[in-house]
Amino acid sequence: MSSTPQKFVFVTGGNVSSLGKGIASASLGRLLKARGYSVTAIKIDPYLNVDAGTMSPYQHGEVFVTNDGSETDLDLGHYERFMDVELAEDNSMTTGKVYQSVIEKERRGDYLGACVQIIPHLTDEIKDRIHRVARATRADVVLVEVGGTVGDIEGLPYLEAIRQFRNQVGRNNCVNMHLTLVPGVGPDGELKTKLTQHSVKELRAIGILADVIVARTRRPLTREMRRKISLFCDVAERNVIVGQDSDHLYAVPLDLEREGIADAILELLGLENTTPDLAEWEAINHTLRHPKRTVRIALVGKYTQLKDAYISVLESLTHAGIGNEVEVLTDLVHSETIEPENADKYLRHADGILVPGGFGDRGTSGKIEAIRYAREHGVPFLGLCLGLQLAVIEFARHVAGIADADSTELNPMTHEPLIDLMPDQKQTTLKGGTMRLGAYPCVLTPGTLAARSYGQIEVQERHRHRYEVNNAYRETLSHHGMVFSGLSPDGQLVEIVEVPGHPFFLATQFHPEFQSRPNRPHPLFQAFVKAAVVRAQSQGSRTSTTTLETSAE
Ligand code: GLN
């Protein structure tokens, strides 16, 4: 970093949740990076959980895992994918973490007899944590996104901390960017700016002045409306950015670039503006808009009501689609609807079948049926984490003749524990942060599908699990043709399994989806989608108009 002081962009949202603050922050990060600035991002989640690991995917979507093994909000996934950065524990701040440190300090006596209060002790802790990330990453620009909506009681200490932070580091080194909703009302969908005005007023009451407003809207805003927002919200007209819905996620940075978001932010921060290099991003968008063909992947899971529960998997499929110049249409098939008699009905149009991670017994028999279908019908199959464990059980039951093969997670009394708790998990009673988490090395067997797909023989992949393939069964499974193509360096943990003689049958104990990027699809997703393309081609020229019978019917 040069002698220029580090800069901070605080991102808040008003009116409603789900305005796309995460995508807007990630897109801004990409645009700054495209101008040569180094960036990092912090997500603040004002809930009391210490991390997202203990939360149901139904509540908050997927739990993202960083290399250092933190279980975080899914926005960190957006940041990593858009900004192509690697984030760590401190990039995710929660009220649980902040209170935990303050209470630990109080117990240690660090506050020297003071009465410990939200202001200044909690707000100091919040500011220290932002400084800590700034120091550790030395990023030119640190983006700080405050989850939730202005006015939430839970978010107040963070907004107060931001207000103080700006005074500490200097007004010119911080920008407040506020997202609001501009809804269309009435039969003609007339756009209304009143919500934006109210939200900015609410922010002002807390002591924060918005410098940039991103007005989220379905339809374009007229010049007049822009002027109105500028006037009522006390924001320069060029700093009113229209964040109109984009046709796909990866178009957002380009759309916001045209709106001048980075120009506005850089000017406010006093940073030099240069022509951004967005060639790679434009190429990604071009491929997304002009795919050579379509392939259908059936994602068989139990959290199908909420797409966010599988966001990194879905994005990885999109990335592999870009890499193969095809459009990947993913059908979420609810695993509880699949039974031996109806598997064909749900899966016959799939060019590939993917069984993602998961916990608990519910829905696993349908996933096992889907895996069996893929194996027996030569449909490319990719299993992730629980998907590997179930693939091993399916193979043991139907190929290796171990009819009662099971996992102790699904059936604690099983006498054929193909999948069992890892030894170091047996004494673990606390749930939070105690799984095998984060990046570990994996050694591949040369010549296998895994090694060919990666093009190298040692890789690092991120994990989140307690159970593992039971080594006592490895010999029997190998004897029947299963290949353990990826192992931990000491050979003790099975990381990848595959079944040769099949177009593509591979499963991983780790989560490759956390490392895929739009510009660098993960090799295993890339190879899986490639196999799906081959199948789609051999099945004739089906197009995206093909209908699939799914559980949604
Ligand atoms: N429930 C399984 C385990 O803990 C799989 C976890 C996962 O799919 N992330 O090992």
Side-chain angles (χ1 to χ4, degrees):
M1 204 187 70
S2 64
S3 56
T4 315
Q6 280 178 294
K7 307 283 180 173
F8 300 84
V9 179
F10 295 102
V11 183
T12 52
N15 313 131
V16 290
S17 57
S18 304
L19 278 180
K21 293 194 295 290
I23 298 293
S25 308
S27 299
L28 176 61
R30 164 50 58 188
L31 297 176
L32 297 176
K33 204 172 168 182
R35 287 169 167 83
Y37 290 106
S38 62
V39 287
T40 190
I42 302 173
K43 173 72 192 290
I44 293 176
D45 281 298
Y47 46 65
L48 282 164
N49 302 61
V50 170
D51 61 37
T54 52
M55 255 185 287
S56 153
Y58 285 127
Q59 278 282 314
H60 231 73
E62 158 194 284
V63 177
F64 187 75
V65 181
T66 53
N67 267 344
D68 68 353
S70 309
E71 298 173 283
T72 77
D73 182 78
L74 57 82
D75 274 324
L76 268 79
H78 291 314
Y79 302 159
E80 286 206 349
R81 288 187 283 269
F82 277 68
M83 294 156 61
D84 204 358
V85 288
E86 209 182 275
L87 303 174
E89 152 107 60
D90 278 348
N91 293 91
S92 164
M93 193 185 322
T94 64
T95 300
K97 281 186 195 174
V98 174
Y99 269 91
Q100 200 173 42
S101 326
V102 169
I103 291 169
E104 273 167 19
K105 284 182 189 164
E106 184 275 333
R107 291 289 83 185
R108 278 204 308 266
D110 290 3
Y111 294 117
L112 304 174
C115 168
V116 182
Q117 297 183 296
I118 298 210
I119 306 171
H121 301 100
L122 204 75
T123 45
D124 281 352
E125 177 68 30
I126 294 167
K127 288 182 289 178
D128 285 351
R129 283 172 171 264
I130 298 173
H131 281 302
R132 204 152 86 194
V133 172
R135 264 197 316 275
T137 60
R138 304 164 68 96
D140 297 327
V141 183
V142 181
L143 300 158
V144 184
E145 178 193 344
V146 185
T149 307
V150 168
D152 296 348
I153 290 176
E154 292 179 324
L156 285 174
Y158 297 100
L159 298 176
E160 168 60 15
I162 289 171
R163 190 191 64 74
Q164 296 174 11
F165 194 95
R166 191 171 200 178
N167 285 331
Q168 270 179 4
V169 303
R171 302 197 78 76
N172 300 338
N173 295 325
C174 296
V175 163
N176 293 322
M177 176 167 118
H178 188 57
L179 275 81
T180 63
L181 179 69
V182 178
V185 177
D188 300 331
E190 195 188 337
L191 295 175
K192 295 288 184 187
T193 63
K194 193 64 97 188
L195 284 184
T196 300
Q197 296 174 37
H198 276 295
S199 181
V200 169
K201 196 166 129 201
E202 179 98 28
L203 202 56
R204 213 183 280 150
I206 300 167
I208 295 181
L209 301 176
D211 304 300
V212 173
I213 290 177
V214 180
R216 293 283 292 109
T217 165
R218 287 238 158 94
R219 299 217 319 261
L221 254 62
T222 59
R223 181 85 201 271
E224 201 40 53
M225 300 192 76
R226 219 186 259 254
R227 268 202 207 120
K228 203 165 159 190
I229 293 177
S230 159
L231 180 68
F232 281 95
C233 300
D234 198 20
V235 170
E237 208 182 308
R238 65 180 174 284
N239 296 342
V240 177
I241 305 296
V242 179
Q244 200 185 329
D245 288 354
S246 298
D247 59 347
H248 62 80
L249 216 55
Y250 297 112
V252 177
L254 300 181
D255 292 348
L256 288 178
E257 172 65 24
R258 271 192 297 278
E259 274 291 310
I261 195 170
D263 304 330
I265 299 274
L266 289 170
E267 191 186 325
L268 287 162
L269 291 174
L271 289 175
E272 192 192 334
N273 198 354
T274 53
T275 311
D277 178 3
L278 288 165
E280 189 176 54
W281 212 258
E282 272 154 11
I284 289 167
N285 275 272
H286 181 84
T287 314
L288 276 170
R289 294 215 167 92
H290 305 96
K292 296 213 169 106
R293 64 164 302 134
T294 297
V295 293
R296 285 195 167 269
I297 302 296
L299 188 155
V300 182
K302 72 173 170 183
Y303 309 121
T304 48
Q305 295 93 318
L306 184 68
K307 272 198 154 190
D308 274 357
Y310 297 116
I311 183 105
S312 290
V313 175
L314 295 171
E315 289 310 308
S316 300
L317 288 169
T318 301
H319 305 161
I322 297 168
N324 283 286
E325 299 182 2
V326 297
E327 181 183 13
V328 178
L329 299 174
T330 307
D331 298 296
L332 298 178
V333 182
H334 199 295
S335 52
E336 280 180 300
T337 58
I338 301 186
E339 284 166 21
E341 310 72 52
N342 67 13
D344 188 66
K345 171 179 159 199
Y346 291 117
L347 301 172
R348 68 168 175 265
H349 294 295
D351 302 312
I353 294 174
L354 191 151
V355 175
F359 293 82
D361 179 41
R362 192 168 63 80
T364 50
S365 64
K367 291 181 186 172
I368 290 175
E369 264 331 303
I371 296 168
R372 181 179 193 167
Y373 186 91
R375 188 178 53 73
E376 291 181 346
H377 291 79
V379 184
F381 166 74
L382 181 62
L384 309 175
C385 205
L386 181 68
L388 173 141
Q389 299 173 358
L390 298 178
V392 168
I393 292 171
E394 190 281 319
F395 189 87
R397 286 185 191 169
H398 306 125
V399 180
I402 310 172
D404 293 337
D406 222 319
S407 159
T408 49
E409 178 183 10
L410 318 178
N411 174 9
M413 305 313 285
T414 180
H415 62 106
E416 299 283 17
L418 268 282
I419 307 295
D420 199 6
L421 265 185
M422 285 181 279
D424 57 0
Q425 286 286 334
K426 295 211 161 127
Q427 309 307 324
T428 307
T429 49
L430 290 180
K431 288 271 181 280
T434 55
M435 285 189 244
R436 180 172 178 241
L437 291 166
Y440 286 92
C442 165
V443 180
L444 311 176
T445 311
T448 55
L449 177 58
R452 279 183 276 123
S453 305
Y454 275 106
Q456 61 192 86
I457 59 152
E458 185 165 335
V459 295
Q460 293 270 343
E461 293 283 2
R462 300 183 194 174
H463 298 69
R464 182 172 187 250
H465 64 123
R466 292 186 203 282
Y467 294 81
E468 246 309 323
V469 174
N470 184 343
N471 287 335
Y473 290 93
R474 257 156 77 172
E475 209 180 303
T476 313
L477 293 167
S478 300
H479 177 72
H480 284 88
M482 180 162 261
V483 171
F484 301 101
S485 54
L487 298 174
S488 56
D490 64 2
Q492 288 308 299
L493 297 174
V494 170
E495 300 280 32
I496 310 180
V497 304
E498 51 190 79
V499 176
H502 183 284
F504 187 101
F505 191 102
L506 183 142
T508 64
Q509 185 54 77
F510 48 78
H511 292 270
E513 69 270 25
F514 294 140
Q515 294 205 84
S516 186
R517 304 276 202 266
N519 52 333
R520 263 185 293 119
H522 190 283
L524 295 181
F525 277 90
Q526 175 75 11
F528 169 59
V529 168
K530 190 173 176 193
V533 174
V534 172
R535 181 173 171 88
Q537 279 161 347
S538 73
Q539 302 275 306
S541 54
R542 281 193 277 113
T543 64
S544 56
T545 52
T546 312
T547 51
L548 179 77
E549 294 177 75
T550 70
S551 53
E553 287 177 338

